[in-house]
Amino acid sequence: MTKKNSALPSSVIRRLTRYLTEVQMLRERDVEWVASHELAEGLGLTSSTVRQDLTHLDFSGTSKRGYETAGLERVLNRVLGADTEWRMVVVGAGNLGRALAVHEDFPRRGFKVVGVFDADKQKIGMRLGSVKVRGMRELPGVVRRERVDVGIIAVPAHAAQSAADLLIAAGVRGLLNLALTHVIAPRHVAVTESRIVSTVMELTYAVKCLGEPALPPGAGA
Amino acid sequence: MTKKNSALPSSVIRRLTRYLTEVQMLRERDVEWVASHELAEGLGLTSSTVRQDLTHLDFSGTSKRGYETAGLERVLNRVLGADTEWRMVVVGAGNLGRALAVHEDFPRRGFKVVGVFDADKQKIGMRLGSVKVRGMRELPGVVRRERVDVGIIAVPAHAAQSAADLLIAAGVRGLLNLALTHVIAPRHVAVTESRIVSTVMELTYAVKCLGEPALPPGAGA
DNA sequence: TAGATTGTTAATCGATTAACAATC
DNA sequence: TAGATTGTTAATCGATTAACAATC
């Protein structure tokens, strides 16, 4: 609160989320201290980057010992807002939408899915964990009543913008867009995009660039 | 083939995947030409970035008209390797793994899931689209026989590295890691990581930085 | 103390943007 | 032709890495 708080670069934020999960795992194993070079190794970074990143936090390491995991976890949780509950809805009850609605990692980290919506009547009423799939008409009411912060867009590309518009009009402040198209949102709504198909294409490009393996592992003759 | 081909920067590759999906949609709507500023607008970029990116391609635009969508789609497909079939297996038949195994966007783009594996006996035999969940012991044989290129890791964090090791030993050349931990792989295996929980945390951080809305949309009294 | 590790500054590296001549 | 848009160069911007004094 006493610290300048807004808008760390997204490159830094992306890594902070990884430090957090790493530190949580260290804590489960009762590791009390971690050095920048250890975090770096575990995550494929340089120790310099780690130290640079952690200076953005209201938290200091100790010479010779590194960073106390308990304190680091606490401050990362606070900066990332992972210490508060975030209420989400999922739009689209296809394979991806259904998987996210019941994804165990979400409640574990303070993300609560309070509703799932789909335009397809066949899907309405379907039970997903603790929620039922509802029709799109119910979306605005649920978003308001349940004070939903974030909408997850898991619909086909052609329906993504109208799902976004509906969520924005209902009052969400963030959108996670999983559809293949870019969605437009006003400045007061944050948008993050994540596309599994694009990610796989990035991977296969990298594979292609590796070239054919000199020797397939375990090749006999 | 006649062009230097390897290792465009990953920032460029990430955008090329988006140009490809965008151009495919334009083609469905029978749009024959697209200008850099139009692509930029549709994707939230600058026209300068778009033109810069497209110079990496073995393809030229035309003054006054822009880029021919048919040619652009063809060359993007070729560069990204999206014109060949990629064979994949999914390790982990939890919610996420099952969703990916039957994800419709994959076959549509040349990605074929030829196997799903899980250590849990209860899940073995479960039917997912055209494949059945198999035990981990069958993984090496399937990867070899089916000439699998890429393994998708959709297991809990503590099992991620051993899943990676198994896939690598069996001969995959790429890993898509969806688990929360970093996995280590030798240089001849490409790794891409994608973590839905981290992505949501990036989003909620951005929401937090927006601050409280001055006026909640549609606030009455 | 001696030595390891932080915090921080400066140097490097890469990515994005601006600008404009060439071109159709 | 006139004007719009590319391809490309140079300028800016930001992110990563290297290096080292401060410190416990």
Side-chain angles (χ1 to χ4, degrees):
Chain A
M1 289 290 178
T2 56
K3 212 178 170 212
K4 75 164 175 203
N5 148 49
S6 47
L8 298 189
S10 63
S11 54
V12 173
I13 292 299
R14 194 157 21 246
R15 286 190 299 265
L16 293 186
T17 66
R18 300 177 62 195
Y19 302 148
L20 177 55
T21 56
E22 187 73 8
V23 149
Q24 286 171 333
M25 288 192 296
L26 291 171
R27 296 250 295 148
E28 273 166 30
R29 287 165 32 210
D30 291 318
V31 177
E32 288 180 13
W33 294 86
V34 64
S36 57
H37 68 88
E38 294 170 317
L39 277 173
E41 243 168 80
L43 298 171
L45 306 167
T46 67
S47 67
S48 205
T49 299
V50 172
R51 288 199 302 283
Q52 191 79 269
D53 286 344
L54 298 188
T55 57
H56 292 108
L57 267 34
D58 196 2
F59 180 73
S60 290
T62 305
S63 292
K64 265 188 95 168
R65 302 219 266 174
Y67 302 88
E68 212 189 338
T69 53
L72 187 52
E73 181 183 0
R74 191 183 56 242
V75 73
L76 282 169
N77 266 316
R78 194 175 59 220
V79 168
L80 295 170
D83 55 350
T84 61
E85 188 184 81
W86 291 90
R87 301 169 74 76
M88 314 193 297
V89 292
V90 176
V91 185
N95 296 309
L96 214 52
R98 295 197 304 268
L100 294 177
V102 296
H103 190 48
E104 305 89 348
D105 284 353
F106 280 152
R108 197 178 293 154
R109 316 238 159 200
F111 300 113
K112 187 167 181 194
V113 174
V114 300
V116 180
F117 302 89
D118 203 291
D120 179 355
K121 278 188 186 123
Q122 297 230 299
K123 291 194 178 126
I124 295 172
M126 222 173 142
R127 183 131 229 125
L128 293 174
S130 61
V131 299
K132 267 192 194 147
V133 178
R134 286 182 262 213
M136 296 299 282
R137 269 184 336 207
E138 297 188 48
L139 191 149
V142 172
V143 166
R144 266 170 245 247
R145 277 198 310 279
E146 299 269 355
R147 312 188 137 279
V148 169
D149 303 292
V150 162
I152 300 181
I153 299 173
V155 299
H158 69 267
Q161 185 64 54
S162 71
D165 294 341
L166 197 60
L167 286 160
I168 292 164
V172 304
R173 295 187 296 148
L175 295 173
L176 172 59
N177 178 25
L178 305 176
L180 279 171
T181 42
H182 183 67
V183 301
I184 310 280
R187 240 174 325 101
H188 67 273
V189 176
V191 182
T192 298
E193 319 206 301
S194 174
R195 300 183 183 84
I196 190 73
V197 170
S198 293
T199 306
V200 174
M201 290 203 308
E202 289 165 35
L203 175 63
T204 54
Y205 175 81
V207 169
K208 212 164 66 93
C209 288
L210 290 171
E212 293 304 314
L215 248 189
Chain B
M1 290 290 178
T2 57
K3 207 171 175 221
K4 72 161 177 204
N5 147 48
S6 46
L8 299 189
S10 63
S11 54
V12 174
I13 292 299
R14 197 161 14 250
R15 285 189 299 265
L16 293 186
T17 66
R18 301 177 62 195
Y19 302 148
L20 176 54
T21 55
E22 188 74 9
V23 150
Q24 286 172 332
M25 288 191 298
L26 290 171
R27 297 250 294 147
E28 273 166 31
R29 285 165 33 210
D30 290 317
V31 177
E32 287 181 16
W33 294 87
V34 64
S36 58
H37 69 87
E38 294 169 317
L39 277 173
E41 241 168 81
L43 297 170
L45 306 167
T46 67
S47 68
S48 204
T49 299
V50 172
R51 287 199 303 282
Q52 191 78 271
D53 286 343
L54 298 187
T55 58
H56 292 109
L57 266 36
D58 196 2
F59 180 74
S60 289
T62 306
S63 292
K64 264 188 94 169
R65 302 221 266 172
Y67 303 87
E68 212 190 340
T69 53
L72 187 53
E73 181 183 1
R74 191 182 57 244
V75 73
L76 283 168
N77 266 316
R78 194 175 61 219
V79 167
L80 294 170
D83 56 351
T84 61
E85 187 184 81
W86 291 90
R87 301 169 73 75
M88 314 193 296
V89 291
V90 176
V91 185
N95 296 310
L96 215 51
R98 295 198 303 268
L100 294 177
V102 297
H103 190 49
E104 304 91 349
D105 284 353
F106 280 152
R108 199 178 293 154
R109 316 239 159 197
F111 300 112
K112 188 168 180 194
V113 174
V114 300
V116 181
F117 302 90
D118 201 292
D120 180 355
K121 278 187 186 125
Q122 297 229 301
K123 290 189 178 133
I124 296 172
M126 222 173 141
R127 181 130 232 126
L128 293 175
S130 60
V131 299
K132 266 192 195 146
V133 177
R134 285 182 264 212
M136 297 298 283
R137 269 184 335 207
E138 297 189 49
L139 190 148
V142 172
V143 167
R144 267 171 245 249
R145 278 198 309 279
E146 300 269 357
R147 311 189 139 278
V148 168
D149 303 292
V150 161
I152 300 182
I153 299 173
V155 299
H158 70 268
Q161 185 64 55
S162 71
D165 294 341
L166 196 60
L167 286 161
I168 293 164
V172 302
R173 295 186 296 147
L175 295 173
L176 172 60
N177 179 25
L178 305 176
L180 279 171
T181 42
H182 182 66
V183 301
I184 310 280
R187 240 176 321 105
H188 67 274
V189 176
V191 181
T192 299
E193 319 206 303
S194 174
R195 301 185 183 81
I196 188 73
V197 169
S198 294
T199 307
V200 174
M201 290 203 308
E202 288 164 36
L203 175 63
T204 54
Y205 175 80
V207 169
K208 212 165 67 93
C209 288
L210 290 171
E212 293 306 315
L215 250 189

